[in-house]
Amino acid sequence: FSCGSTFSREINVDNLYSFINNAFDSQHLLEHSPDAISNLSAYEGMLDGGFALACHSSNQARSKGFRLVEHLMTRFGWFAAKRVKILISSMSLTDEKTNPHYGLISCKELSSMDTPPHRKRLAEVLKGISNLLSLRRVMKEVIPSEIHRQSLIKILCNSQKVISILPPEEMQKMILYFHSVFASFRSRFYSFPRLTKRDEELREQSLLLLISAVGDEDIAIDEVGEGNSAHWRDRLVAAWFLLTFIDKSGAQISDNAIRSIWDTCINIIQQEDGQPIQKVTLGLIGKLANLTIENGLDGDYSDLQKKMRDESFCIDLCNALVSNHKEDKSIGGGHRAQWSVGVESILKDSLSNLSPRIIFPFKRAGRSSLNFLTQHGQLLSALFQIVGRDCAIDSAKHFLSYAHELASSLPSEDQRNQVDTAAEIFSGVAQCLLNSSAEDDVQIVWTSTLLPFFEKALEKSPTSALATYSDSLRFIVRDLSPKQLLPLTEFVMNKIEKTLWQFDGYQSVNGTASDGFAEQSKWVVMMCVVLIEIDTEIETMNPYVWYHSSVTVSSPPLVKIDVEATPPILHFWTMLSSRLLPRLLHAIGHPYQKCREQVAWCLFRVYNCYKKLSQQIKILPIQEEIKDQITNPGDLIFQKLSPLSSSTGTATKEAQHSLITTRLFLFYCLHYGDNKNEYAEFILPLLPMAFEAIKPEVEGEGEVDADVRMLQAQVVKGFRYTIAEVGASCFVTYNNSNDISQLLKNLDTVSLHDVWQVRHAAAHFLRCFQGCHKFLFTSYQTKKTTRIVAKLLADDRKEVSAAAMSALTGILASSPSQDVGHMVHKYIKKANNSVIKKKRSKVDKQALEGEALEKEFKRAVKQQTSVYFLCASVLARPYDTPSYAPKALAALSRHSYESSAPFTVREAVKLCCREFKRTHMTDNWELHKEQFTREQLEALDDVVSTPHYYA
């Protein structure tokens, strides 16, 4: 065959099929017999046989036939193109007498026979056809064709009329088979441009068909059934198709079609309360609203404006948003909602189409609540933007009025969703009103509309809703300037001054403070929201905030640099430094744990806000004296927190509460702060105070209250945990070795503390800190760390010396072998010189006094230090035998006898030798043994060998 004549411009599919058929014919080239059956025809016949077998009455036969067809389709997928039409017509019961070439039975003929055997056989055939239609290769032929898409819509949106004529025992099964076809289409669906006029007409016909199906109108999709009311599942599937079929070009098909969709959605919102189709309709409204904004606000929206001014419709829309939340698992035993098959995936798609995706929160701090849906706030904001500012103001009153009722709802299974929806309504209304208001009108909007609702909602809402309102407020203020935030900041500051508890001297000063942590902590949390989101206008080159173009669809708000914008920043910081910060510092001894957490979080946010503003304000065109007025609050915070662990005055509840707040502040600095700022300015300077706080309280003359004792135990436990976190975290990585040196200097002082618990914590801290920062240590810092640990080796408490030996093991493991060998040689001499010369009697020990007693004490210290150091050097190399290890083991063996060393030293030597035996005397012992001399091996055997009778 000539490829030049075959693959030409005039070739069509039939000619190409004939060419391929002849090419597969094994007899064609030799016999040229017209009756010869080609290999391709044989494969096609096998495929048709698989089709027939897939519709068999036996379950096993249907399964085998389906697997056969699935396998053949992977090799001969082009056969699916001819069979898509007959599969679709069979599913819709509109196929004529089928050509036996395809191996299918006519479903139309079977449906016309009203007998149980024929209806049973019809169900079996439909099962096989639905399996075939859901094949990946078959669905690949359906999706690109508008005519096939329309036919599939007619099938899936009219499935209940087909299922209703089947036997009762087959109805539920067929729902699953119809869903398999829908799931296959949903998983592979994609949008594509309509290039021909015919495709545009088919798309418009499909949309009109779906609009009538969703609206539950009497439609005749095919000849089966009468024009009865549509089943809820068919309407739900039709709503999904309508949701996914509308795109940028589909939204502009005609004004009448768009108006019909809006009317249908509004009717469903008002009539289908709490139903799945109502949730899908919310996604459809959100997609229409955002496409309308994206394509321009051209058109007549008088009907929508009329509905948005209607209080009943606003209430229905709010209730629909409540129902769009997931069920509250804390009610009813934590069980999930049991949706019918396929419903949950449809609801997931509707939620993803509710609004365009945005990056929220954009700041480093994450969200506080997983229940707050930003899509709801975006939906309301988009609707307000479509109907215009005047209508939005009128409609906002209805929404906020009903949101207040939702916020104050009584405990029930829907209370959480109702409270969360109230916060979402507030975010959507506030965002629209603030963004559409002039600069001078923002304060009026805050004081007249938003703040009164915000105050009442927080008073009525339960404490569990605090995180939701926190995210709601962050969503509102994320794009506002400092000047626009001043009314909110002033309002929250006044609330904090009226409600927050404070401690002055030795007496609690409540004043007008609230008696309870709920109301006090709420306003502190809201101030933290402002501190997180506050920003200066720093874009000097681009008039738009740089990230808006990638995360939003609508035009971003204009951000300009203006010298007159700096006084709000200065006024904002003056309010923080002169009013908020002193109030927080007086409240660090708050009696409620929840409030202490919020006070510590707010203190951290105040300092973090200062660092953020101080960096941003450097490039603003303002005077230097104004910049100098932005003072550092870290000095005041450090001065307040650093003396808290002093022993005087700690036996009170307020003192222990203050220490708990300090620990929380360190925790926030460690996990949420920047290494260069918070770590250097708070964590390192406050670390000695943290060590001082873990010492147990010494029994005094007076009796300490039991509650204070309990708080002291809580403080000690908390600071131990904080010290461990600081030691195990690698944070000093900002190219400043002076901070490490300062830390080691503080630890050198702490290691000499009188309380052994503090020394024990210092040894563990050094072990972890050196392990995390060993590659950043200089040689001097490594030597200093070694000296600190070496001093702790001779501690009289076994816990401290054991922790010091573990720390020294890690240090020596990361040190060069040459340096370790040099130190081992020095300590071997000390160990040999510190062995007990002769055994003293008890009388001799008691007779030691004066210079002799001091000399004996120095010898014991030298012995314990040298022996523990040699043990650490051996344990630091568990899988090899450096040259200094045999010498160290030989020196250690001299301290394993009762006459030469005390019990603690002997136990350390035996433990070291046993560990060496476990790790070295294995399959490679012959290689390690070469490093030892005969005398060194005998010394090691004296320690590790087990004594026996014949020894």
Side-chain angles (χ1 to χ4, degrees):
F1 298 101
S2 174
C3 294
S5 61
T6 303
F7 295 100
S8 61
R9 292 173 181 253
E10 291 77 16
I11 193 171
N12 54 34
V13 177
D14 294 334
N15 294 336
L16 183 61
Y17 178 79
S18 176
F19 170 75
I20 297 175
N21 189 32
N22 292 332
F24 273 84
D25 187 2
S26 60
Q27 303 295 328
H28 179 77
L29 296 176
L30 299 176
E31 302 176 0
H32 302 285
S33 173
D35 298 330
I37 301 177
S38 68
N39 292 338
L40 190 63
S41 299
Y43 280 118
E44 190 172 6
M46 187 183 301
L47 183 65
D48 293 338
F51 271 45
L53 195 61
C55 300
H56 199 273
S57 58
S58 171
N59 292 334
Q60 295 181 353
R62 284 201 303 272
S63 177
K64 297 293 184 182
F66 172 72
R67 297 303 177 192
L68 174 63
V69 173
E70 185 180 24
H71 177 73
L72 291 175
M73 282 295 183
T74 60
R75 270 71 177 173
F76 307 99
W78 64 82
F79 286 147
K82 284 188 175 182
R83 289 158 175 78
V84 168
K85 185 176 180 181
I86 187 62
L87 289 174
I88 292 177
S89 61
S90 298
M91 284 290 293
S92 60
L93 308 184
T94 58
D95 55 333
E96 299 297 335
K97 187 173 182 180
T98 309
N99 189 345
H101 179 70
Y102 294 116
L104 298 177
I105 302 176
S106 176
C107 294
K108 183 177 181 181
E109 292 184 4
L110 288 175
S111 63
S112 62
M113 303 176 185
D114 192 9
T115 60
H118 289 92
R119 294 299 170 90
K120 178 72 173 177
R121 181 62 182 143
L122 175 63
E124 294 166 350
V125 173
L126 288 176
K127 291 177 183 178
I129 293 175
S130 62
N131 283 333
L132 297 175
L133 193 57
S134 63
L135 283 173
R136 182 185 63 84
R137 194 61 183 82
V138 176
M139 196 57 65
K140 188 177 180 180
E141 298 292 335
V142 174
I143 293 178
S145 173
E146 285 290 345
I147 186 67
H148 289 334
R149 283 191 181 192
Q150 188 180 99
S151 302
L152 190 64
I153 289 173
K154 293 179 179 180
I155 293 174
L156 297 177
C157 296
N158 203 32
S159 61
Q160 296 301 320
K161 292 184 178 180
V162 177
I163 294 175
S164 62
I165 65 176
L166 300 179
E169 64 273 10
E170 300 291 341
M171 289 184 177
Q172 293 297 326
K173 300 177 184 178
M174 281 308 303
I175 292 177
L176 298 177
Y177 282 96
F178 271 95
H179 172 68
S180 66
V181 178
F182 170 75
S184 179
F185 180 88
R186 173 181 171 271
S187 63
R188 295 171 178 84
F189 173 78
Y190 58 88
S191 297
F192 58 90
R194 272 73 64 188
L195 302 178
T196 64
K197 187 176 180 180
R198 176 58 178 166
D199 288 342
E200 289 288 347
E201 293 175 354
L202 289 173
R203 172 55 64 94
E204 187 168 358
Q205 292 176 8
S206 299
L207 290 177
L208 295 176
L209 181 72
L210 291 171
I211 293 171
S212 60
V214 173
D216 196 12
E217 299 177 7
D218 294 339
I219 54 175
I221 295 180
D222 49 37
E223 296 116 5
V224 180
E226 298 106 12
N228 297 326
S229 178
H231 192 270
W232 69 268
R233 176 179 285 277
D234 292 343
R235 294 181 64 198
L236 187 66
V237 173
W240 182 89
F241 276 110
L242 187 60
L243 175 68
T244 53
F245 275 25
I246 293 179
D247 51 19
K248 294 181 180 180
S249 59
Q252 302 293 334
I253 49 173
S254 66
D255 293 338
N256 292 331
I258 295 297
R259 192 177 297 108
S260 299
I261 295 175
W262 279 108
D263 294 340
T264 301
C265 293
I266 290 173
N267 292 333
I268 292 177
I269 291 296
Q270 292 181 312
Q271 297 173 6
E272 304 289 344
D273 186 19
Q275 299 301 318
I277 193 172
Q278 188 187 59
K279 301 184 178 184
V280 181
T281 303
L282 284 176
L284 183 57
I285 291 176
K287 192 170 186 178
L288 281 174
N290 289 285
L291 287 176
T292 302
I293 295 173
E294 185 178 355
N295 296 329
L297 298 175
D298 299 331
D300 182 17
Y301 299 101
S302 57
D303 295 339
L304 182 60
Q305 291 175 351
K306 183 179 179 181
K307 285 294 183 181
M308 292 294 286
R309 284 190 169 97
D310 185 8
E311 184 178 3
S312 61
F313 173 75
C314 296
I315 293 176
D316 292 335
L317 183 58
C318 293
N319 290 329
L321 296 178
V322 174
S323 302
N324 199 41
H325 280 274
K326 292 184 179 180
E327 69 282 356
D328 188 0
K329 295 182 181 180
S330 61
I331 305 297
H335 299 290
R336 297 180 58 189
Q338 298 181 358
W339 294 106
S340 179
V341 60
V343 174
E344 192 170 2
S345 59
I346 293 177
L347 298 183
K348 181 181 178 181
D349 292 342
S350 67
L351 184 60
S352 62
N353 284 277
L354 198 59
S355 62
R357 293 183 178 181
I358 62 172
I359 299 179
F360 174 79
F362 187 76
K363 305 298 181 183
R364 183 178 176 182
R367 297 178 59 172
S368 302
S369 171
L370 298 177
N371 301 322
F372 176 75
L373 298 179
T374 58
Q375 296 94 326
H376 288 175
Q378 292 177 263
L379 172 64
L380 292 178
S381 181
L383 291 177
F384 290 145
Q385 189 174 351
I386 292 175
V387 299
R389 177 172 172 77
D390 295 337
C391 181
I393 293 175
D394 297 336
S395 180
K397 298 177 182 178
H398 302 318
F399 278 101
L400 292 180
S401 176
Y402 191 68
H404 182 264
E405 296 182 15
L406 294 176
S408 57
S409 58
L410 299 176
S412 64
E413 60 182 3
D414 295 328
Q415 184 192 28
R416 191 200 68 180
N417 294 341
Q418 290 170 346
V419 174
D420 294 341
T421 304
E424 294 156 1
I425 293 171
F426 173 63
S427 66
V429 171
Q431 186 186 40
C432 176
L433 295 181
L434 292 173
N435 290 339
S436 61
S437 300
E439 191 75 18
D440 298 334
D441 297 335
V442 170
Q443 184 173 1
I444 300 176
V445 173
W446 276 115
T447 56
S448 63
T449 305
L450 301 180
L451 293 180
F453 168 81
F454 190 50
E455 181 181 8
K456 294 179 181 178
L458 279 184
E459 291 177 356
K460 298 293 184 179
S461 301
T463 309
S464 58
L466 184 60
T468 304
Y469 276 97
S470 173
D471 288 340
S472 174
L473 192 61
R474 289 188 66 182
F475 184 77
I476 296 170
V477 305
R478 58 197 173 101
D479 292 326
L480 299 183
S481 64
K483 184 176 180 180
Q484 293 172 322
L485 280 175
L486 278 180
L488 174 64
T489 309
E490 183 71 31
F491 174 78
V492 176
M493 187 67 244
N494 292 334
K495 284 293 183 180
I496 291 176
E497 290 178 339
K498 291 180 181 179
T499 59
L500 186 61
W501 177 96
Q502 64 175 341
F503 181 75
D504 188 9
Y506 291 95
Q507 294 183 355
S508 319
V509 179
N510 283 329
T512 58
S514 301
D515 185 15
F517 71 90
E519 186 175 358
Q520 298 184 54
S521 61
K522 287 178 180 179
W523 300 113
V524 179
V525 172
M526 297 308 149
M527 180 57 74
C528 292
V529 170
V530 178
L531 295 174
I532 291 172
E533 296 294 334
I534 185 69
D535 264 324
T536 58
E537 298 84 357
I538 60 173
E539 290 294 329
T540 57
M541 302 300 294
N542 188 356
Y544 298 109
V545 179
W546 63 269
Y547 55 84
H548 269 288
S549 60
S550 60
V551 299
T552 60
V553 177
S554 57
S555 299
L558 189 64
V559 178
K560 297 181 179 180
I561 294 295
D562 189 1
V563 178
E564 296 181 357
T566 56
I569 300 175
L570 184 59
H571 180 62
F572 173 81
W573 187 253
T574 303
M575 185 188 308
L576 292 184
S577 58
S578 63
R579 298 172 61 185
L580 178 63
L581 185 58
R583 189 76 183 191
L584 294 175
L585 293 177
H586 282 296
I588 60 174
H590 203 287
Y592 295 118
Q593 174 66 15
K594 190 67 176 179
C595 292
R596 291 194 293 270
E597 294 175 0
Q598 301 302 339
V599 168
W601 177 246
C602 195
L603 283 173
F604 165 75
R605 280 298 161 193
V606 168
Y607 178 78
N608 189 263
C609 180
Y610 161 74
K611 282 298 181 182
K612 177 174 60 177
L613 295 181
S614 62
Q615 292 295 327
Q616 295 176 356
I617 208 170
K618 289 180 180 179
I619 63 174
L620 289 178
I622 61 176
Q623 299 176 358
E624 291 297 329
E625 53 269 19
I626 296 180
K627 295 182 181 180
D628 295 338
Q629 296 182 31
I630 308 294
T631 57
N632 188 355
D635 299 335
L636 293 176
I637 297 175
F638 178 74
Q639 293 174 7
K640 181 68 175 179
L641 301 183
S642 57
L644 291 178
S645 62
S646 59
S647 58
T648 58
T650 58
T652 61
K653 290 184 179 180
E654 288 76 13
Q656 299 302 319
H657 291 157
S658 300
L659 287 174
I660 294 175
T661 306
T662 304
R663 188 194 67 81
L664 292 170
F665 177 75
L666 286 174
F667 173 83
Y668 294 136
C669 291
L670 184 66
H671 290 278
Y672 297 98
D674 296 324
N675 297 350
K676 191 175 181 180
N677 297 324
E678 286 83 354
Y679 195 89
E681 296 195 19
F682 290 111
I683 296 178
L684 297 184
L686 291 176
L687 198 58
M689 185 274 296
F691 279 104
E692 191 71 23
I694 66 174
K695 67 179 182 179
E697 191 69 22
V698 181
E699 294 291 343
E701 296 180 357
E703 185 177 354
V704 182
D705 188 10
D707 295 337
V708 176
R709 286 294 188 192
M710 184 176 63
L711 289 174
Q712 288 174 350
Q714 182 181 352
V715 168
V716 171
K717 180 181 178 181
F719 272 101
R720 281 185 176 276
Y721 185 77
T722 301
I723 291 173
E725 282 188 316
V726 175
S729 303
C730 185
F731 282 119
V732 191
T733 57
Y734 43 86
N735 196 23
N736 188 357
S737 60
N738 293 331
D739 287 340
I740 298 180
S741 300
Q742 181 63 35
L743 176 62
L744 294 178
K745 183 178 179 181
N746 294 335
L747 287 175
D748 194 6
T749 305
V750 172
S751 64
L752 302 176
H753 202 277
D754 297 334
V755 181
W756 72 267
Q757 288 91 340
V758 178
R759 302 195 302 271
H760 180 254
H764 278 299
F765 180 87
L766 268 176
R767 177 174 61 87
C768 300
F769 187 81
Q770 191 274 340
C772 293
H773 297 82
K774 58 186 177 182
F775 298 110
L776 301 174
F777 272 33
T778 63
S779 58
Y780 171 77
Q781 292 168 348
T782 303
K783 292 179 181 178
K784 186 174 182 60
T785 305
T786 306
R787 286 197 298 267
I788 296 173
V789 176
K791 288 189 298 183
L792 294 174
L793 292 175
D795 198 277
D796 55 351
R797 294 290 301 196
K798 184 179 179 180
E799 296 89 343
V800 180
S801 59
M805 189 172 70
S806 299
L808 185 60
T809 302
I811 296 173
L812 297 180
S814 60
S815 300
S817 298
Q818 185 177 0
D819 297 342
V820 177
H822 178 72
M823 290 186 288
V824 167
H825 179 71
K826 181 177 66 173
Y827 278 96
I828 286 177
K829 293 181 178 180
K830 293 183 179 181
N832 293 333
N833 294 333
S834 61
V835 177
I836 299 177
K837 300 302 181 181
K838 62 178 181 178
K839 187 175 181 181
R840 297 179 181 272
S841 63
K842 295 183 179 180
V843 178
D844 294 337
K845 291 181 180 180
Q846 294 176 358
L848 290 175
E849 60 182 9
E851 184 178 352
L853 180 62
E854 183 179 355
K855 186 177 180 180
E856 176 63 19
F857 176 75
K858 290 181 179 180
R859 186 209 60 78
V861 170
K862 183 189 295 185
Q863 183 184 30
Q864 184 170 336
T865 302
S866 58
V867 169
Y868 277 35
F869 187 95
L870 294 177
C871 290
S873 66
V874 174
L875 296 176
R877 307 298 290 269
Y879 300 110
D880 60 345
T881 306
S883 58
Y884 59 81
K887 300 176 183 178
L889 290 171
L892 288 173
S893 65
R894 298 184 60 189
H895 299 266
S896 62
Y897 305 106
E898 183 178 357
S899 60
S900 60
F903 176 77
T904 55
V905 174
R906 296 198 308 272
E907 286 297 315
V909 171
K910 293 179 180 179
L911 177 64
C912 174
C913 293
R914 283 198 302 267
E915 185 66 17
F916 181 84
K917 178 182 178 180
R918 186 185 67 83
T919 56
H920 289 76
M921 293 184 180
T922 55
D923 297 337
N924 297 326
W925 172 238
E926 293 298 328
L927 296 176
H928 298 303
K929 192 176 180 180
E930 296 176 358
Q931 302 291 332
F932 290 82
T933 63
R934 181 177 179 181
E935 292 78 7
Q936 292 170 348
L937 286 176
E938 291 177 354
L940 177 63
D941 289 338
D942 289 342
V943 182
V944 299
S945 61
T946 304
H948 53 85
Y949 179 77
Y950 296 100

